[in-house]
Amino acid sequence: MNPQTTPAAPTAPTAGATPLIPLPLNTARALTTTGALLSAASTFLSWTWTTRFPGNLTVNGYPGGLQLLTLTGALLTLAYALTSWNIPGLRWLNPTRSHNATVLLATATLATTWYTLIAIAAQLGGLANLEPGGYAAALTTLLTLLGTLALPLDQRPAGPTPATGRLSRTRAAAAVRTTLRTLGPGRTGKQPPPPRPLPPWAEILVIAAAFGLALGIVTYGIGTAYGELFTGFLLLAGFATAGLARAGLLGRLTTLTTKHRTPTITAAFVAAALFPLTQDTDQYTLIAVNILIFSTVALGLNVVVGLVGLLDLGYVAFLGVGAYTAALVSGTTASTLDIRFPFWAAVLTGAAASLVFGVVIGAPTLRLRGDYLAIVTLGFGEIFRITVGNLNGESGPSLTNGPNGIPNIPDLALFGYSFGKTHHLGSITLNPFANYYLLMLLFTVIVVLVFSRAGNSRIGRAWIAIREDETAATAMGINGFRLKLLAFALGATLAGLAGTVQAHVAYTVVPEQYVFAGPVPPNSAFLLAAVILGGMGTISGPLLGAALLYLIPAKLQFLQDYQLLAFGAALILLMRFRPEGLIPNRRRQLEFHDGTAAGSTLTHAEATTP
């Protein structure tokens, strides 16, 4: 073939800024600003005439319930709309000078508002239950979103399109991907200018303020009084977080936290420790305790799944081993072992028992790979549940009381401090579950330190090598079986550590708590989903994933019968649009999106950061 007639392969388009709706720039700015102002004003009008819808949206002149979320979203959208006018004092809100952040914030306001209005119509029996203020809110939020879509939007450059004969289909698919890249969060070719240098004390104050704000947001989310408010909170928080990330504000905060690691760790621990002090009762503190237990176990599973790449479908059994061991040595009258260990001994015993089970199960099975290993671990989880259900003195030895489990587990006590009693430390009151929350927070910090040190060690690098290509790792001299067994044992130990606390928090252990999939987490399916949803191989990813997977069913009672269906659909969407997880490992993010973003070239430090 003549070289001059050879068709050249299409090249990746360069990054650009193109509005989706063709309007003059000043018109788009004015439309966005006016719409955001009117959206905020609409929250001071009544949206419905009856108080049957929770939150009392019938008052004029005072926003309530879900109206407060719409007001928050409208004010954030207004602030970012004003940054497009280059108003001094607001430029720091949008380091990348990208209008995509404004689009996402307008979408957050629209989603929260329209969800509220649809919920009112669905619960009360039709659109006739909406007041003029509700219609005004719907129109103004839509007007705001249309205005933002007329602003110049940054597009992430698409990857090279394969040169095939199906040009029309290829171009259509490329157009769809371009639209998703335009509106979605992520890296773009536009890099933010370097920030103005601040003195170290000011940077530390910024970090402390950020964690204080995060504490307030988490406290509000956990304390939402009804499901509709929690759903609106999730919509607003999700889109707003994506918007702040697209603006580059979260990236600059990450730079500060990386620069000041010790103050960051201290601020994070203090903010988490202050959570029980924001609660008047144990209702939401108990939810927080269970979230920490779930998160700690998910982080232990992340050693096996995220670092080594082993698919473990029976991991919840190690949590059960630690819980049952702690229950048997707790001194309860229901225990068949007439012994009572002190707190530290019970914790070590539970962790050691899980370690032994991890080695016993891993030694004969870790020579398997892929689906075969997954089937074996799934079988182990079911064998554990069936076995503890049969150790009742009839089907087997009398050890676990069979299906009845081990109830009446006494409260933990450490140096005379009973975790089951209310304590007053000056003006501070610590309720029983607040005590367990602080204990579990300490255990979570220990697990995070273990995971971080292990992942960054020589052994952790060997685990990652095995995950990427076990054959190549073996050829380089890595003993794959021994290192996989070590990871399996470490993960089991961390799960057993959390199980010792879970037994005392729940006051009872029964076999039904440790199934592969069930309505109440933690179970193996939810643990694996938490790791995948949050981001495999990271620390904050499984913590966020576990928190969401536990908190959503706890707050949205109507999902109790459909949560497996809902989470299955969520995972399908996640695998399609964000396979690296919500908080991905940067190296894995580059692997999944290699060639799709010219501006996503990572430095060596970024590529090696978990």
Side-chain angles (χ1 to χ4, degrees):
M1 181 179 294
N2 190 341
Q4 295 180 353
T5 62
T6 303
T11 58
T14 58
T18 306
L20 296 181
I21 298 178
L23 285 177
L25 178 58
N26 288 335
T27 302
R29 289 171 173 172
L31 187 62
T32 302
T33 305
T34 303
L37 280 171
L38 294 177
S39 297
S42 68
T43 62
F44 291 87
L45 302 175
S46 63
W47 287 7
T48 183
W49 60 273
T50 175
T51 58
R52 286 188 296 160
F53 188 82
N56 192 10
L57 309 184
T58 66
V59 180
N60 286 309
Y62 181 80
L66 283 157
Q67 289 176 325
L68 290 173
L69 298 180
T70 296
L71 177 61
T72 302
L75 292 179
L76 286 173
T77 306
L78 177 62
Y80 273 83
L82 292 177
T83 61
S84 65
W85 297 92
N86 294 322
I87 296 178
L90 293 178
R91 296 173 184 174
W92 63 272
L93 285 174
N94 196 353
T96 62
R97 304 294 188 265
S98 171
H99 297 297
N100 296 57
T102 314
V103 175
L104 289 168
L105 291 171
T107 304
T109 310
L110 177 78
T112 305
T113 304
W114 282 53
Y115 163 76
T116 304
L117 301 176
I118 293 173
I120 292 174
Q123 291 187 21
L124 302 183
L127 295 176
N129 294 281
L130 295 177
E131 289 287 285
Y135 291 105
L139 293 176
T140 54
T141 53
L142 179 59
L143 178 70
T144 306
L145 181 60
L146 294 177
T148 59
L149 293 178
L151 295 171
L153 303 179
D154 299 322
Q155 299 181 7
R156 287 184 289 172
T161 303
T164 65
R166 304 176 182 178
L167 292 180
S168 60
R169 180 180 300 179
T170 301
R171 289 171 180 171
V176 173
R177 289 196 299 269
T178 299
T179 302
L180 291 175
R181 282 191 295 268
T182 299
L183 298 180
R187 291 174 176 264
T188 68
K190 175 185 287 189
Q191 298 298 326
R196 185 177 64 182
L198 295 174
W201 62 266
E203 294 178 342
I204 294 175
L205 283 180
V206 170
I207 294 173
F211 278 102
L213 178 61
L215 173 62
I217 294 174
V218 171
T219 301
Y220 178 85
I222 293 180
T224 48
Y226 44 94
E228 293 84 356
L229 184 60
F230 180 72
T231 304
F233 168 78
L234 285 182
L235 290 173
L236 179 64
F239 281 108
T241 301
L244 295 179
R246 198 63 187 265
L249 202 59
L250 296 185
R252 287 196 169 174
L253 179 61
T254 302
T255 302
L256 292 181
T257 57
T258 304
K259 181 179 178 181
H260 302 281
R261 296 189 65 88
T262 301
T264 298
I265 295 173
T266 303
F269 181 80
V270 170
L274 289 176
F275 172 79
L277 304 183
T278 65
Q279 305 298 310
D280 297 329
T281 65
D282 274 348
Q283 178 182 2
Y284 299 121
T285 309
L286 176 59
I287 294 178
V289 174
N290 288 316
I291 287 175
L292 285 180
I293 294 173
F294 193 10
S295 301
T296 303
V297 181
L299 199 57
L301 177 61
N302 198 27
V303 174
V304 180
V305 176
L307 294 182
V308 194
L310 304 177
L311 185 56
D312 189 347
L313 298 181
Y315 187 76
V316 75
F318 297 122
L319 176 69
V321 170
Y324 265 96
T325 303
L328 288 172
V329 301
S330 64
T332 176
T333 56
S335 173
T336 56
L337 304 180
D338 189 18
I339 55 176
R340 178 167 187 171
F341 284 178
F343 164 71
W344 63 269
V347 171
L348 292 179
T349 303
S354 296
L355 169 64
V356 171
F357 270 82
V359 174
V360 170
I361 298 301
T365 61
L366 287 179
R367 299 187 186 278
L368 302 173
R369 295 187 185 183
D371 298 338
Y372 301 100
L373 177 62
I375 293 172
V376 170
T377 55
L378 175 61
F380 164 65
E382 292 301 300
I383 289 172
F384 168 78
R385 180 179 61 83
I386 295 172
T387 300
V388 295
N390 288 332
L391 298 180
N392 56 1
E394 297 178 1
S395 302
S398 178
L399 184 63
T400 64
N401 296 325
N404 296 323
I406 304 176
N408 303 322
I409 300 175
D411 291 304
L412 287 173
L414 181 63
F415 302 118
Y417 185 93
S418 175
F419 287 82
K421 297 181 180 179
T422 300
H423 298 274
H424 300 278
L425 304 177
S427 59
I428 300 175
T429 301
L430 294 177
N431 295 320
F433 287 120
N435 298 324
Y436 281 111
Y437 172 86
L438 295 176
L439 175 64
M440 197 61 225
L441 178 63
L442 179 60
F443 280 7
T444 303
V445 171
I446 294 174
V447 172
V448 167
L449 290 176
V450 171
F451 182 89
S452 177
R453 296 295 183 182
N456 293 323
S457 66
R458 183 177 181 181
I459 293 176
R461 299 301 179 186
W463 284 340
I464 295 175
I466 293 172
R467 182 192 68 193
E468 298 299 328
D469 192 330
E470 184 174 352
T471 302
T474 304
M476 295 299 293
I478 295 176
N479 190 330
F481 171 75
R482 185 178 64 183
L483 288 175
K484 288 193 293 185
L485 183 60
L486 178 61
F488 215 71
L490 177 60
T493 304
L494 298 180
L497 190 70
T500 59
V501 180
Q502 186 207 31
H504 291 84
V505 170
Y507 293 108
T508 183
V509 289
V510 292
E512 287 73 17
Q513 293 175 327
Y514 311 105
V515 296
F516 170 72
V520 180
N523 52 63
S524 293
F526 274 33
L527 288 169
L528 186 61
V531 175
I532 297 174
L533 174 67
M536 293 190 296
T538 64
I539 294 176
S540 53
L543 298 179
L544 176 62
L548 289 176
L549 290 183
Y550 189 92
L551 189 60
I552 290 175
K555 303 297 292 187
L556 304 179
Q557 297 298 324
F558 68 90
L559 277 180
Q560 289 293 334
D561 297 331
Y562 306 101
Q563 56 182 315
L564 290 179
L565 175 63
F567 292 148
L571 287 176
I572 291 174
L573 294 175
L574 185 74
M575 291 300 99
R576 173 60 184 87
F577 296 106
R578 195 173 177 84
E580 67 272 21
L582 295 177
I583 305 180
N585 178 289
R586 293 181 178 179
R587 179 185 298 168
R588 289 181 60 84
Q589 187 178 30
L590 182 61
E591 291 173 357
F592 279 112
H593 300 285
D594 187 20
T596 61
S600 65
T601 304
L602 303 183
T603 65
H604 175 73
E606 290 179 323
T608 56
T609 301

